[in-house]
Amino acid sequence: MKKRLVKNRIIVLSIAIVLILSMLLFTAGCNRSEAAADRIKTDANPPVEQKANEHIADLPPENEEASSEALSPTEKAEGLIGEAAARQKAFAHAGVSEKDVTLERVKLDKDDGRFEYEVDFRVGNTEYEYDIDALTGEVREADRDREDGKENENAVSSKVDSVKEVTAEKALEIALAHAGVSKEKAVMDRVETDFEDGKKIYEVEFYSAGYDYDYDIDAETGKVLRFEKEYDD
């Protein structure tokens, strides 16, 4: 009788232990399920503060947003200087003020495999055409043409006070001085006389530091009527 009583107690104790373990496992499972649900909810709906920070991070810097001369995707991809910088390079080379300029066009083009900006503008009766290297900002070619062909007062005055005709040597000196090239660094191509609209001119061509220069010089006044500077690659 005593043995049976002990055996019954052991059975009851075992059942109690099994029930306790089952309850503990059930509780742990529920906690894991709730934690997983919370993670899914958090991932699907991030906190408002996090969303705001992500939105701010996506905004462009203030200087880029404020820039009115933003580069195009092509210019950014190729590392080009942009149209605004190309205009300034042309204006500076021509020695004109932007407020006096009537801009006709700025166009990105490709010549001999190199990007360049074609900048055309007018100041008074004079038309300017420039080719600006789109990577370096270097002036590859420049052309200036006065529509009415009239001389200004200073040119007329110098014509009266000067000798009757400028020599070929003097025309070369004028062209070199205008180009900012010393005679020692210039490789001469030709200095020839020609007539344009009944006026005698000197055609001066020379090469220096990778550039070809082409000038028309008035044979009477020494005035630069036209010039071109073209990169020889």
Side-chain angles (χ1 to χ4, degrees):
M1 180 71 178
K2 196 172 187 178
K3 290 182 179 180
R4 184 179 299 171
L5 182 60
V6 172
K7 184 177 181 180
N8 289 338
R9 287 179 179 178
I10 293 173
I11 292 172
V12 171
L13 183 60
S14 299
I15 293 172
I17 292 172
V18 170
L19 289 174
I20 292 172
L21 291 174
S22 298
M23 290 178 65
L24 291 175
L25 291 174
F26 176 77
T27 302
C30 290
N31 290 337
R32 284 198 298 270
S33 297
E34 289 178 0
D38 289 340
R39 284 197 300 272
I40 293 173
K41 185 176 179 180
T42 302
D43 292 340
N45 300 288
V48 175
E49 183 179 356
Q50 180 181 350
K51 285 185 175 180
N53 291 337
E54 290 176 353
H55 178 67
I56 292 172
D58 291 337
L59 292 177
E62 291 183 2
N63 59 341
E64 291 185 10
E65 185 178 24
S67 175
S68 60
E69 298 290 351
L71 299 180
S72 70
T74 299
E75 290 171 326
K76 288 181 180 179
E78 298 292 340
L80 309 184
I81 63 173
E83 293 184 359
R87 291 201 305 269
Q88 295 305 319
K89 293 286 185 180
F91 298 161
H93 186 275
V96 299
S97 174
E98 186 172 2
K99 64 182 178 62
D100 299 326
V101 168
T102 300
L103 187 65
E104 295 185 351
R105 72 163 184 164
V106 181
K107 178 184 176 184
L108 179 62
D109 199 1
K110 205 168 189 178
D111 185 26
D112 295 332
R114 297 180 62 177
F115 280 110
E116 65 180 21
Y117 289 101
E118 296 178 355
V119 184
D120 298 346
F121 58 95
R122 179 194 302 267
V123 178
N125 294 324
T126 304
E127 290 184 344
Y128 297 82
E129 295 180 2
Y130 275 83
D131 290 343
I132 307 295
D133 192 299
L135 287 172
T136 66
E138 191 173 17
V139 177
R140 300 186 64 190
E141 186 174 348
D143 190 12
R144 180 176 63 183
D145 185 28
R146 186 166 176 137
E147 285 186 340
D148 57 9
K150 294 180 181 179
E151 299 172 343
N152 57 37
E153 293 180 359
N154 292 334
V156 173
S157 177
S158 64
K159 177 180 177 181
V160 173
D161 297 335
S162 64
V163 295
K164 289 186 177 181
E165 185 173 305
V166 175
T167 64
E169 184 177 356
K170 183 62 177 178
L172 173 59
E173 292 178 2
I174 293 171
L176 290 172
H178 185 277
V181 176
S182 65
K183 192 171 183 179
E184 293 75 18
K185 295 183 178 180
V187 178
M188 293 307 305
D189 190 353
R190 68 182 181 122
V191 180
E192 295 180 356
T193 56
D194 196 1
F195 287 88
E196 185 175 298
D197 297 329
K199 179 185 293 186
K200 184 178 179 180
I201 64 172
Y202 286 104
E203 294 182 348
V204 183
E205 296 180 9
F206 57 92
Y207 175 87
S208 178
Y211 287 91
D212 287 322
Y213 295 82
D214 187 357
Y215 277 82
D216 287 350
I217 307 294
D218 192 307
E220 292 184 358
T221 66
K223 179 184 176 182
V224 176
L225 301 175
R226 183 189 65 83
F227 73 93
E228 291 184 3
K229 178 183 177 183
E230 185 174 6
Y231 182 76
D232 185 8
D233 55 358

